[in-house]
Amino acid sequence: MSAGPVDKSTSIDVPFLDLKAQYASIKDEVRTAIDAVLEKCAFVLGPFVKEFEDNYAQFCGTKHCVAVDTGTSALHMALLGAGIGPGDEVITAANTFIATCEAISYCGAKPVLVDMDETTYTIDPKLIEAAITSKTKAIIPVHLYGRPADMDPILDIGKKHGIPVIEDAAQAHGATYKGRTAGSMGLAGCFSFYPGKNLGAYGEGGAVVTNDDALADRIRMLRDHGSRQKYHHDVVGYNYRMEGIQGAILNVKLRHLPEWSQRRQAHANRYRDLLADANLQLPPPDGEIQSVYHLFVVQVDDRSRFQEDLRDEGIGTLIHYPIPVHQQKAYADHDWPSFPVTERQAGRIVSLPMFPEMTEEQIVHVATVATRSVNL
Ligand SMILES: Cc1ncc(COP(=O)(O)O)c(C=O)c1O
């Protein structure tokens, strides 16, 4: 006979993310929406995607939303639409997901990284100007973990140097900066609707929002084989179209997003109260910058042991991200300087479970086990 399972202190499991719980809460609405697409056979772009574009533009407070197939495509389209090409440089945060840099590379441009701010996890505005050269053609702040970057100084720098600011809002649907919605402050805002995002499709999805009529028109053309009129192709474009089923599902989920964001914010506050005495660095507090807590990221000294202690108690954690972009093999041919804050924090950060459907019991369990692990 084996010794049996490890003796856990409770039988509560807390997955890192529970997409099934969310689906169960909206199952009938989603099924009805998918049926409507099937009945109409509106599989690619079409009325359901258009309805989503209108609703999402309104949600962001922008004139236009152009839906595409992924967040990476959204970034690629925004950059191409803004005229970025070979020989150009684009500044972004050193601690982002690789897709931000990939989109820059797809344009033939060079990603230029800037270190993060120690406490906010977003690009350090104080370091941006030193990275600007005559080749700099865009700045992409990343609203990482659901918290908008410090946009006022970034927009000021953009204005001073005549460089457009394109927001990577892939993780920040509905987050606000001094009352303005993430994605609506720069020339364009780029979103991902990957299933695990705060607004997640049931497959891939993305969108660019903008107030610029010409940019929206150009991206609409580029995402559909360079075509404004069927079988008339102005340029060599892309097939980055959103599927009808994803548009219909996103329409359903968008109705719930404000409530889901409020729940994430309430969970974050609960974590803060319960972890106040734990030997952990917590996310920056909210104030005039309101995070939508795509992730709740803490810093610990001994991360391996911390993750193991939580795993032993049925709690899922992840690291966003363990290897910074400039240390990835994919970018080994670039001559990078060092990014000390990003490099140090990559070894300390860990994301705790965070999803709207978390129960009080689950939050207390995570906080109890986390506190025990770091305060031993
Ligand atoms: C910060 C950031 N930018 C861009 C992307 C790319 O989005 P997608 O996976 O939809 O292509 C992601 C998605 O993970 C992201 O987190």
Side-chain angles (χ1 to χ4, degrees):
M1 287 278 279
S2 79
V6 179
D7 194 18
K8 296 204 296 178
S9 60
T10 75
S11 59
I12 304 166
D13 276 336
V14 192
F16 180 72
L17 175 66
D18 190 350
L19 292 179
K20 286 184 183 161
Q22 184 169 91
Y23 176 56
S25 75
I26 53 171
K27 189 169 180 165
D28 292 343
E29 286 173 87
V30 168
R31 294 259 169 145
T32 304
I34 292 175
D35 269 350
V37 178
L38 299 181
E39 290 299 333
K40 270 209 154 81
C41 295
F43 297 124
V44 178
L45 294 180
F48 299 96
V49 172
K50 173 76 173 66
E51 189 185 338
F52 173 67
E53 289 178 330
D54 292 346
N55 290 337
Y56 200 63
Q58 196 180 10
F59 176 82
C60 292
T62 54
K63 234 171 132 181
H64 305 280
C65 167
V66 186
V68 291
D69 60 342
T70 68
T72 311
S73 301
L75 286 159
H76 186 198
M77 291 289 86
L79 288 166
L80 275 186
I84 310 304
D88 294 340
E89 293 178 0
V90 177
I91 292 174
T92 193
N95 64 323
T96 188
F97 180 58
I98 195 168
T100 323
C101 288
E102 287 176 317
I104 298 167
S105 300
Y106 297 166
C107 298
K110 180 180 157 199
V112 172
L113 301 179
V114 165
D115 213 348
M116 61 185 273
D117 177 272
E118 189 107 41
T119 53
T120 64
Y121 300 96
T122 48
I123 192 167
D124 186 342
K126 294 189 297 301
L127 305 177
I128 293 177
E129 278 197 292
I132 293 177
T133 72
S134 58
K135 295 180 183 167
T136 309
K137 292 291 154 41
I139 303 170
I140 311 184
V142 182
H143 305 321
L144 204 70
Y145 309 153
R147 186 180 202 276
D150 191 4
M151 289 300 287
D152 277 348
I154 299 170
L155 292 166
D156 283 348
I157 293 166
K159 208 186 242 175
K160 179 173 155 196
H161 294 268
I163 301 169
V165 174
I166 293 171
E167 297 168 69
D168 183 339
Q171 302 188 359
H173 318 74
T176 55
Y177 178 89
K178 301 182 183 176
R180 287 170 282 166
T181 306
S184 72
M185 293 171 271
L187 172 67
C190 304
F191 290 88
S192 164
F193 306 121
Y194 186 75
K197 294 290 194 280
N198 289 25
L199 179 61
Y202 287 164
E204 304 271 6
V208 182
V209 298
T210 182
N211 288 314
D212 188 303
D213 297 342
L215 180 65
D217 174 65
R218 190 163 160 74
I219 295 175
R220 273 184 214 291
M221 178 270 292
L222 285 170
R223 78 168 166 185
D224 192 11
H225 298 289
S227 167
R228 288 188 177 89
Q229 189 190 345
K230 204 168 174 68
Y231 302 133
H232 291 69
H233 306 277
D234 299 347
V235 298
V236 175
Y238 299 82
N239 179 355
Y240 283 173
R241 299 174 299 219
M242 178 179 274
E243 294 186 345
I245 283 179
Q246 303 310 336
I249 291 166
L250 288 166
N251 269 320
V252 169
K253 293 183 99 183
L254 184 56
R255 295 199 286 269
H256 297 274
L257 184 61
E259 192 207 322
W260 290 337
S261 298
Q262 278 166 19
R263 283 203 223 165
R264 285 175 183 272
Q265 287 162 338
H267 296 341
N269 287 337
R270 195 73 185 110
Y271 266 146
R272 275 183 208 289
D273 288 348
L274 294 165
L275 294 170
D277 297 325
N279 192 15
L280 287 169
Q281 184 172 326
L282 299 176
D286 296 307
E288 52 186 13
I289 301 180
Q290 296 263 320
S291 175
V292 285
Y293 293 97
H294 174 55
L295 297 167
F296 191 90
V297 176
V298 297
Q299 288 185 50
V300 286
D301 295 330
D302 186 347
R303 182 171 66 195
S304 306
R305 210 196 68 201
F306 182 78
Q307 287 195 283
E308 209 172 292
D309 287 348
L310 269 67
R311 194 180 314 120
D312 288 348
E313 294 287 349
I315 299 165
T317 58
L318 286 174
I319 301 164
H320 299 89
Y321 299 89
I323 306 170
V325 175
H326 68 286
Q327 294 177 335
Q328 296 284 353
K329 261 195 240 160
Y331 281 108
D333 60 344
H334 282 46
D335 191 14
W336 299 108
S338 67
F339 302 101
V341 183
T342 295
E343 285 160 25
R344 187 168 64 248
Q345 298 207 350
R348 296 175 47 81
I349 48 177
V350 54
S351 308
L352 300 182
M354 173 55 83
F355 48 93
E357 298 74 19
M358 277 184 91
T359 63
E360 165 71 7
E361 200 182 24
Q362 287 178 316
I363 297 169
V364 170
H365 181 54
V366 175
T368 306
V369 176
T371 304
R372 198 170 59 209
S373 173
V374 292
N375 285 9
L376 270 184

